[in-house]
């Protein structure tokens, strides 16, 4: 971190350039003010950073701004380097890349490499050779370690040997800026004597520091430093990709054993090599973990291919056996022959459809018009035969003239899958009555079942086939109604896929999400950083690319306040770890860091789907519980005054027996009492759940 420094009453003053600043005489108009200097203008000069370079620019001052004795030559300002002198008016300011005014024997930082630090003398050459020998030996020890934990331990152990220090720490920096000691050696307790001010300085300045008199060091301070009572110390940062991930901290007990500038250069070189080795160990562990995941994916993929192949083989064998049964059934005559041939044909259809599904070739049925008589002529013989076996009877009214629009054999198979399981539950000597009715432009087949019959529970294949063919069914008052569309315009639109909103500008990311959408039966809906105006369709998920928007937290807040996204799970991808807490506070449900794999993304979306389902079920349960509590409260509150009214009406009837109005009032009271009993049943009635996720109260 660069500094501006000057002398005031022979005492050095320092100003850290952490951000762009203005220098001048006016304290209210300048970040760095010098009010006692009359030669300085109210706003005299600007200091700004462009990239890694700092610049100084004159602010149209009265006496001008000079750099190293020369006036600033460019309208945009001049760049600064370590050691530059800046004169503003009669005032002299020094620009330094590091902390200014340090005693070069006691306080050292920003040293160069080993070869640059050694003086051109024979004795210095021996020191360099010895230092390189120690560095080489220590580095060899580091390279022998394979795990991150053992490498950190060796890093600290070898550093203590390298500098003959008595005590040391390895501190790792968390994403939120806090520190955690992961390794300590020597006479140490839990962070006792570890100066936080030293750690803060090294982390902020990203430079190795040496202090042979920590108590007098102007760079550090605080209570933690006062508790040290130690001798010389050295602290070096562990940088990975330009960011401080950890620190190595060494010190000595005796104040009479100072460290040298060469020691600081030596430990700086050693820590850099150790950091590279640590990074390689972490990458190796990560690669090993990814290899294990990739191996598991390949194993599951191979297992899936083997299951598909074996299932196809089994289906082919079943098809061969069914053809044999079909051939046998064609030669059978008797009471059950029609039903046998029907069931064998149905099995053959299902096996052929399953075989096509295994080959990822979904069977397409050609929809066409059909008369009601033709449809009933296909279904009725098999239903009659099935009920005849059970000793029951099917009575169908004459078929009216009319046409429906249906998808060939798939429609008849779907209707058979819906109705025939119910026919198997009809008891002996019972009757089922059927008739056709016209309803809302469609034709409806109504089948009235006996009172003890249960409603239909079609299998998943039948449910999906009915949806594909546009056939709708309902069950009410022991009547199964099957609704057939009259024309192609009456077929309901196929159910839209759930929407996945995506906010990103990256084409590669868009392609990845299209793959996820295809595998998860979702539809991609691209969105901008600013949410569109309502109304919008319903969204299952919202995914925001943190690197594809200018302000991720602001984008999340904007969508979270949108009525369409108030309760939608929001997943943030390529999110920096240091923004995790901010994104959650803004309204994000979950996040993924940069470099995530598509398997992780797919799994995370499934988790969010389950989270959304749990929230929905919890809300339904809460509403149902509130309804039951309301029912109990109403019954209690109404029954009390109702009892009083009933007694008063009874007394009035005795006093005025000929008054008809009192009899009517008594009837109304009994009616209200009956409604209260219904409320009590609502409170005590069991809840029955259905496959589509709905729940109803079962009232007797």
């Amino acid at each position: 971190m660069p500094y501006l420094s000057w002398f005031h009453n022979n005492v050095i003053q320092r100003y850290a350039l952490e951000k762009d600043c203005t220098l001048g005489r006016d304290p209210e108009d300048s970040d760095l003010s010098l009010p006692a200097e009359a030669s300085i203008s109210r706003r005299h000069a600007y200091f700004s950073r462009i990239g890694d370079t700092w610049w100084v620019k004159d602010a149209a001052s009265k006496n001008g701004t000079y750099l190293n004795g020369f006036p600033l030559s460019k309208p945009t300002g001049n760049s600064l380097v370590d050691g530059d002198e800046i004169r503003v008016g009669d005032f002299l300011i020094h620009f330094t890349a590091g902390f200014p005014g340090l005693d070069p024997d006691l306080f050292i930082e920003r040293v160069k490499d080993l070869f640059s630090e050694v003086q051109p003398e024979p004795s210095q050459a021996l020191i360099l050779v010895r230092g390189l020998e120690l560095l080489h030996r220590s580095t060899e020890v580091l390279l022998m370690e394979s795990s991150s934990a053992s490498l950190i331990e060796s890093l600290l152990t070898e550093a203590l040997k390298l500098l003959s220090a008595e005590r040391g720490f390895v501190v790792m920096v968390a994403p939120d800026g806090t520190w955690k000691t992961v390794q300590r050696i020597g006479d140490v307790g839990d962070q006792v004597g570890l100066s936080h001010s030293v750690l803060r300085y090294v982390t902020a300045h990203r430079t190795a520091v040496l202090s042979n008199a920590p108590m007098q060091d102007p760079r550090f301070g605080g209570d933690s430093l006062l508790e040290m009572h130690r001798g010389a110390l050295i602290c070096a940062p562990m940088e990975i990709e330009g960011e401080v991930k950890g620190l190595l901290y060494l010190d000595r007990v005796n104040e009479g054993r100072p460290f040298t500038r060469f020691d600081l250069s030596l430990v700086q070189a050693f820590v850099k090599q150790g950091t590279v080795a640590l990074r390689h160990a972490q990458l190796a562990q990560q690669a090993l973990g990814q290899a294990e995941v990739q191996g598991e994916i390949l194993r599951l993929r191979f297992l899936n291919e083997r299951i598909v192949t074996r299932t196809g083989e089994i289906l082919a064998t079943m098809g061969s056996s069914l053809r044999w049964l079909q051939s046998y059934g064609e030669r059978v005559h008797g009471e059950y022959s029609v039903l046998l041939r029907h069931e064998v044909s149905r099995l053959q259809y299902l096996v052929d459809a399953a075989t096509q599904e295994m080959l990822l070739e979904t069977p397409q049925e050609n929809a066409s018009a059909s008369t009601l008589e033709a449809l009933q002529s296909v279904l009725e013989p098999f239903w009659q035969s099935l009920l005849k076996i059970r000793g029951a009877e099917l009575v169908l009214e004459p078929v009216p003239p009319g046409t429906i629009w249906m998808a060939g054999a798939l429609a008849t198979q779907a209707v058979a899958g819906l109705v025939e399981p119910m026919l198997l539950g009809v008891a002996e000597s019972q009757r089922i009555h059927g008739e056709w009715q016209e309803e809302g432009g469609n034709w409806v087949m109504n089948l009235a079942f006996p009172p003890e019959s249960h409603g239909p529970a079609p299998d998943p294949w039948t449910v999906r086939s009915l949806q594909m063919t546009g056939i709708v069914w309902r069950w009410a008052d022991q009547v199964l109604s099957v609704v057939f569309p009259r024309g192609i315009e009456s077929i309901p639109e196929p159910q839209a896929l759930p929407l996945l909103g995506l906010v990103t500008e990256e084409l590669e990311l868009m392609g990845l999400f299209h793959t996820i959408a295809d595998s998860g039966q979702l539809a991609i809906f691209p969105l901008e950083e600013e949410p569109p105006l309502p109304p919008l369709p319903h969204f299952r998920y919202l995914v925001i690319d943190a690197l594809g928007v200018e302000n991720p937290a602001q984008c999340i807040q904007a969508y979270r306040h949108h009525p369409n996204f108030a309760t939608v799970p929001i997943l943030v991808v390529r999110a920096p770890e240091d923004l995790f807490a901010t994104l959650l506070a803004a309204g994000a449900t979950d996040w993924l860091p940069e470099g995530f794999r598509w398997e992780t993304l797919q799994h995370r979306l499934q988790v969010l789907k389950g989270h959304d389902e749990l929230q929905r079920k919890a809300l339904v349960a809460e509403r149902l519980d509130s309804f039951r509590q309301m029912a109990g409260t109403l019954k209690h509150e109404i029954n009390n005054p109702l009892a009083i009214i009933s007694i008063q009406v009874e007394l009035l009837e005795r006093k005025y027996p000929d008054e008809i109005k009192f009899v009517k009032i008594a009837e109304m009271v009994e009616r209200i009492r009956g409604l209260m009993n219904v409320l009590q049943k609502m409170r005590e009635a069991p809840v029955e759940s259905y496959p589509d996720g709905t729940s109803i109260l079962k009232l007797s």
Side-chain angles (χ1 to χ4, degrees):
M1 181 183 300
Y3 281 81
L4 299 177
S5 61
W6 62 95
F7 282 91
H8 180 70
N9 295 330
N10 295 324
V11 178
I12 190 169
Q13 306 293 323
R14 304 176 181 90
Y15 181 84
L17 285 174
E18 298 179 357
K19 59 181 181 179
D20 296 356
C21 75
T22 305
L23 182 147
R25 191 178 68 250
D26 189 353
E28 296 183 358
D29 201 27
S30 303
D31 302 303
L32 174 56
S33 62
L34 303 169
E37 296 297 326
S39 62
I40 297 178
S41 300
R42 185 179 61 85
R43 179 181 291 184
H44 200 107
Y46 299 107
F47 291 88
S48 60
R49 181 173 56 187
I50 302 177
D52 293 331
T53 304
W54 280 89
W55 293 70
V56 60
K57 176 185 176 183
D58 186 71
S61 64
K62 179 180 179 181
N63 296 322
T65 303
Y66 294 80
L67 177 62
N68 298 323
F70 297 94
L72 299 182
S73 58
K74 300 178 181 178
T76 57
N78 290 62
S79 60
L80 297 172
V81 296
D82 186 28
D84 280 347
E85 292 183 349
I86 306 158
R87 181 170 294 279
V88 287
D90 298 331
F91 202 75
L92 184 64
I93 298 177
H94 292 84
F95 175 85
T96 54
F99 198 90
L102 294 178
D103 187 324
D105 295 325
L106 296 179
F107 316 122
I108 304 173
E109 63 179 57
R110 299 188 180 277
V111 295
K112 302 176 182 178
D113 58 69
L114 291 175
F115 297 96
S116 300
E117 291 296 336
V118 174
Q119 301 297 325
E121 300 176 1
S123 60
Q124 293 291 314
L126 294 176
I127 294 176
L128 177 61
V129 172
R130 178 58 179 165
L132 290 176
E133 181 184 352
L134 293 174
L135 184 62
H136 176 70
R137 179 181 57 79
S138 300
T139 305
E140 281 186 334
V141 174
L142 293 181
L143 295 177
M144 294 296 293
E145 304 294 348
S146 57
S147 66
S148 300
S150 60
L151 195 145
I152 290 175
E153 181 179 359
S154 296
L155 177 67
L156 182 55
T157 303
E158 293 302 316
L160 290 172
K161 294 179 182 179
L162 193 64
L163 295 186
S164 300
E166 286 88 13
R167 192 176 69 154
F169 300 81
V170 174
V171 180
M172 302 308 292
V173 182
D176 59 356
T178 58
W179 302 299
K180 180 181 179 182
T181 302
V182 296
Q183 192 68 34
R184 54 173 70 94
I185 296 177
D187 182 18
V188 296
D190 186 11
Q191 294 190 357
V192 173
L194 182 62
S195 174
H196 289 186
S197 60
V198 176
L199 300 182
R200 281 193 293 268
Y201 185 89
V202 174
T203 303
H205 291 72
R206 294 166 51 189
T207 183
V209 300
L210 178 156
S211 182
N212 287 323
M215 300 295 292
Q216 291 81 39
D217 199 322
R219 297 171 293 181
F220 317 132
D223 295 337
S224 61
L225 187 66
L226 296 176
E227 296 172 358
M228 285 181 58
H229 303 296
R230 310 294 293 185
L233 69 83
I234 281 181
C235 186
M238 302 167 61
E239 287 191 60
I240 298 177
E241 297 179 353
E243 185 176 354
V244 177
K245 297 293 186 180
L247 303 103
L248 177 69
Y249 184 103
L250 307 172
D251 63 20
R252 290 172 175 169
V253 177
N254 298 325
E255 296 181 1
R257 297 181 58 214
F259 288 118
T260 66
R261 188 179 184 90
F262 184 79
D263 291 335
L264 183 59
S265 180
L266 186 64
V267 75
Q268 179 177 266
F270 177 66
V271 169
K272 287 182 178 179
Q273 293 186 356
T275 304
V276 172
L278 177 62
R279 179 59 172 166
H280 286 173
Q282 292 174 343
L283 291 175
Q285 289 178 338
Q286 183 178 356
L288 182 61
Q290 290 180 350
E292 292 176 354
V293 172
Q294 190 67 28
E296 181 66 13
I297 293 173
L298 292 175
R299 187 187 70 81
L300 293 175
R301 185 177 299 170
F302 173 75
L303 179 62
N304 179 66
E305 292 176 353
R306 188 173 64 180
I307 291 174
V308 170
T309 302
R310 292 292 296 163
T311 305
E313 294 173 351
I314 293 173
L315 288 173
T317 305
M318 289 175 60
S320 176
S321 299
L322 286 173
R323 283 190 292 272
W324 183 89
L325 289 174
Q326 192 172 24
S327 177
Y328 176 76
E330 292 175 354
R331 292 171 173 76
V332 174
H333 301 282
E335 187 176 2
Y336 307 131
S337 59
V338 175
L339 190 60
L340 175 63
R341 287 193 292 269
H342 167 66
E343 291 303 322
V344 171
S345 299
R346 177 169 168 76
L347 282 174
Q348 184 66 53
Y349 179 88
L350 294 175
V351 168
D352 292 341
T355 303
Q356 289 180 304
E357 291 278 359
M358 295 302 296
L359 299 175
L360 301 180
E361 297 176 0
T362 305
Q364 299 291 332
E365 296 282 353
N366 294 323
S368 59
S370 174
T371 63
L372 302 182
E373 184 178 5
L375 175 62
Q376 185 165 317
S377 65
V378 173
L379 297 174
E380 184 180 4
F382 308 116
W383 293 356
Q384 293 284 10
S385 300
L386 184 58
L387 289 173
K388 185 177 181 182
I389 294 175
R390 303 194 61 80
E393 183 181 2
L394 173 65
V395 178
L396 295 178
E397 296 293 333
V399 183
T403 59
I404 57 175
W405 192 268
M406 52 183 286
L410 181 61
T412 57
Q413 295 291 342
V415 174
L418 175 68
V419 177
E420 291 180 5
M422 296 188 64
L423 299 181
L424 292 173
V426 178
E428 186 177 357
S429 73
Q430 289 184 334
R431 173 180 294 183
I432 297 176
H433 181 267
E435 63 178 354
W436 288 92
Q437 288 184 351
E438 192 173 5
E439 179 184 294
N442 297 319
W443 285 104
V444 182
M445 175 189 287
N446 293 317
L447 298 174
F449 283 80
E452 60 273 13
S453 299
H454 295 286
D459 57 84
W461 183 88
T462 300
V463 171
R464 185 163 57 89
S465 299
L466 290 170
Q467 292 175 348
M468 292 173 60
T469 55
I471 299 174
V472 181
W473 64 272
R474 60 178 181 267
W475 172 259
D477 298 330
Q478 298 302 118
V479 176
L480 174 63
S481 301
V482 186
V483 183
F484 295 88
R486 172 173 289 183
I488 190 171
E489 68 281 353
S490 303
I491 298 179
E493 293 291 332
Q495 187 174 4
L497 293 175
L499 292 179
L500 185 151
L502 181 59
V503 182
T504 185
E505 298 293 336
E506 293 286 341
L507 294 179
E508 293 183 1
L509 200 61
M510 186 74 73
L512 170 64
F513 273 91
H514 275 295
T515 303
I516 295 295
D518 292 340
S519 62
Q521 293 187 341
L522 298 167
I524 295 292
F525 195 101
L527 294 167
E528 300 294 333
E529 186 171 350
E530 290 291 332
L533 296 175
L536 286 174
H538 175 71
F539 286 81
R540 172 169 290 179
Y541 313 107
L542 174 63
V543 179
I544 297 177
D545 177 20
L547 298 183
V549 298
E550 184 175 350
N551 190 328
Q554 185 176 349
C555 179
I556 294 171
Q557 288 179 344
Y559 274 97
R560 189 54 83 194
H561 291 122
H562 194 284
N564 283 81
F565 299 93
T567 58
V568 174
I570 298 179
L571 174 64
V572 185
V573 298
R574 302 202 298 174
E577 293 185 5
D578 56 344
L579 291 181
F580 175 49
T582 304
L583 298 178
L584 289 183
T589 310
D590 205 346
W591 68 295
L592 283 174
E594 190 174 5
F596 63 89
R597 298 175 62 84
W598 72 270
E599 297 92 344
T600 306
L601 174 61
Q602 191 174 35
H603 176 264
R604 195 64 57 89
L605 290 177
Q606 292 299 321
V607 171
L608 289 178
K609 179 182 178 182
H611 175 73
D612 186 48
E613 289 294 327
L614 287 176
Q615 282 189 327
R616 185 181 64 82
K617 291 181 179 179
L619 182 61
V620 170
E622 183 179 355
R623 289 176 177 173
L624 183 60
D625 185 61
S626 300
F627 176 77
R628 285 176 162 174
Q629 291 180 4
M630 181 192 69
T633 303
L634 284 176
K635 180 178 182 296
H636 176 74
E637 294 296 332
I638 294 177
N639 275 341
N640 290 336
L642 198 63
I644 297 174
I645 295 173
S646 180
I647 293 173
Q648 296 298 326
V649 170
E650 186 177 352
L651 293 175
L652 290 172
E653 284 182 332
R654 292 177 183 178
K655 187 174 182 179
Y656 304 102
D658 297 332
E659 183 60 53
I660 302 177
K661 294 181 180 179
F662 295 131
V663 177
K664 190 66 174 177
I665 293 174
E667 292 177 357
M668 293 298 101
V669 169
E670 289 301 318
R671 182 178 180 184
I672 295 174
R673 186 175 284 113
L675 292 175
M676 292 302 100
N677 291 332
V678 172
L679 284 178
Q680 182 64 27
K681 290 180 181 179
M682 288 182 179
R683 187 178 182 185
E684 300 173 354
V687 179
E688 183 170 334
S689 300
Y690 284 79
D692 62 353
T694 58
S695 301
I696 65 170
L697 292 171
K698 299 293 289 185
L699 301 177
S700 59

